[in-house]
Structures are given as structure tokens and as C-alpha cells.
Amino acid sequence: MVTSVLSGVSDELDPRLLEHRRELTGYCYRMLGSGFDADDAVQETMVRAWKSFGSFEGRSSLRSWLYRIATNVCLDQLSGRQRRALPMDLSGQSWSPVEASLAAKRPAEAWVEPVLDRAVLPEDGDPAERAVARESVRLAFVAALQHLPPRQRAVLLLRDVLRWHADEVADLLETTVASVNSALQRARATLAAMGGSPEQRPLDDDSRDLLARYLDAFERYDIDAFVKLLHEDATQHMPPFEMWLGSAADIGTWMLGPGSGCRDSRFVQTEANGCPAVAQYRPTADGGHAPWALHVLEIDGGRIRHITSFLDLDNDLFARLGLPAAEELDAASGRTAS
């Protein structure tokens, strides 16, 4: 495993390499559609950089050199791999909110996976650049990126998200400026046709109030109040299941039916994929709670437009994301992420 290799050399890594870890993780996440694959890719990038650091002659900046390595690692990972998707990508028709909808399930590798903002977004810096970074990790945009051929994906990210010049991208990919411009034009056209271009939607005070009311209704399991916070045509995905719900009414029916085991859950508020998110801990038979789902919420026009609920069926999602274990929750509120 790359992680074990890196753990043996971490004390020897030049601190200048580690300074770029977070932005490289964000880049690899957009390329690969999985925060966990991105972590592996960055680990591999660091190992390769560590092994070659003595021969790095500074013909380019250290940052550019690391991006070159990371891009090659991602292209290697993507070779021969099927694209990741969200449930709505697989079918244009929503499912009925009944137990039988859970019959269709796919492995984790089939789905775009979540990432916490703190793992990929800059802590400070230019507000405009941070806004672009936030929008470019939204689930719909990341899912749309997966439709692009890997090299087009890299070109679009380097040019439109990271704002590299065409000649810099051409040098990284060892191609021509004309080729870069052509790839960028095709990538932009594909995303525009899919409606996958990122939009800047800051989390304002009204959105924070909506999130507080969402949590309150969910905690009380007041489904009437919960549904009123959703757009009528709100959708909900539940990877790893193929099913998705296509209206506020269906979401309410689901929560009072197959999803009723979520009553009396506890929650931790966080941020994921550039959006407000809620980690849910569902009651267990012994009176405790266990990690159940990370809900990523997309807010539009004062109501919730999309809910993507990443279910922790294998009991490792929360741990891999660095979310608190159930026993670590504060007994008083359970709302503030550690």
C-alpha cells in the first residue's frame, strides 16, 4: 500500500512538498470522483516526488512539478476504469418510495463519493478563488467531469478551475498549446450540454437558518415540517443504491415508510462538496447510535433542492472521512463537528 510506504518516509519528506497536499487532494478528487482514491493518488504523488526530489532541478516551479506527477498518477488510475456516477445519471426516471427500491445496489467504485471541505478547500486566500474551489467540488460538477476523457478533464481543471495558462498546461501534458485549446473547447461544450458548469452560491444567513430548521425537523422527526423545507421537485439520492426520489412528497413518504428507522437519530453538522452537510447517526437496537449517512444538501432559492445521502453500510465511510465515532458525540447537542 502507498500509505504504508509514505508512513515510513514521512519524517524525511521536504516540508515544501507537504505544503501542497490539500490543493493536490482537491485536484485529484475532481479528476477521480472519490476522496479516498484522491488520498491514495496524493500519497503516490508524494512517494514519487520524495524518490525523485534529489534530481528535481527547478526547471519548473515545485508546484507545477507536483501537479505533473499528480496528473500522471490520476491518468494511470483512470486507465481502463468505468466512470463514477450519481444515481440520477443511471436513469431519467425517479423510483417509487417503497422498500423494494433498495433491491438495486452497486459497489462503492460505481459512485461519485463525498469529500469534506476541510480536506480539499483552502483555509484562506482570495475569496473569489475559494468560491471557485468550492463550486468545483459540488457533486453535480464532479459527476459531470467524469463524462470527460481523462486528459480533457485535466485540461479543463487546470485551465478553468486552477487558472493555469495554456502554455503551462501544454508543458505539463507534453503537448501543444493548440491541442490544449482544442481539448478545452470540447470539454467546455460537453459540460455545457450537460448543465455541469459550476455556479457560485454562497451559504448566506438565510441558508444557515434553513439548515437549522432542517436539523430541527429531522431531529424531531416532524416530516410535515421537513417536507416544507424542500422544493416540490426536490431529489434525493442514496448511494450505494441505484434508487432516487424525485419529489418532496416522495421523500416524505420514504421517511415515514422504509426510512422510518431514522427516527431519533443524532446529527453532526459539517461541510462537504462545497455544501452544508449533516452526518447522521441512527439508533441501534441496544439503545446506542451508529454512523448511518452523510447527507450533502444543495440549497437553491431558500429551499433544499437536492439531498445526496451517502449511506455508511460497510461501517467505514465515517471513519475514512474523519467524522466522529458515535461514542464521541457530545451528549448535549451532537451538532458541532470536531
Side-chain angles (χ1 to χ4, degrees), residues 126-275:
D126 182 80
E129 292 182 1
R130 183 173 169 80
V132 170
R134 181 183 296 108
E135 295 304 318
S136 66
V137 294
R138 285 187 182 269
L139 289 166
F141 182 67
V142 173
L145 285 172
Q146 308 312 302
H147 287 268
L148 300 177
R151 286 178 69 87
Q152 278 189 30
R153 200 179 308 173
V155 167
L156 183 128
L157 290 172
L158 291 166
R159 291 284 282 118
D160 283 0
V161 175
L162 297 174
R163 308 298 188 190
W164 285 35
H165 297 297
D167 59 336
E168 294 174 315
V169 178
D171 181 63
L172 183 147
L173 294 174
E174 298 181 342
T175 187
T176 65
V177 169
S179 178
V180 166
N181 289 336
S182 176
L184 179 62
Q185 185 176 16
R186 295 195 302 273
R188 284 174 174 170
T190 300
L191 288 190
M194 298 178 58
S197 299
E199 302 174 4
Q200 295 190 24
R201 289 168 286 185
L203 186 61
D204 55 21
D205 290 341
D206 289 342
S207 298
R208 293 185 179 90
D209 176 67
L210 175 64
L211 180 60
R213 288 185 286 134
Y214 174 93
L215 277 171
D216 177 66
F218 206 155
E219 286 179 333
R220 294 185 293 106
Y221 221 69
D222 183 343
I223 302 307
D224 286 340
F226 184 92
V227 168
K228 289 178 181 177
L229 302 175
L230 311 178
H231 282 275
E232 289 187 8
D233 60 350
T235 60
Q236 183 171 13
H237 313 266
M238 300 180 192
F241 297 106
E242 294 180 18
M243 60 88 65
W244 61 278
L245 305 173
S247 71
D250 278 357
I251 293 171
T253 299
W254 177 272
M255 293 185 71
L256 291 172
S260 59
C262 292
R263 192 185 301 270
D264 297 323
S265 292
R266 294 174 61 192
F267 303 91
V268 167
Q269 185 176 328
T270 185
E271 294 179 339
N273 291 93
C275 296

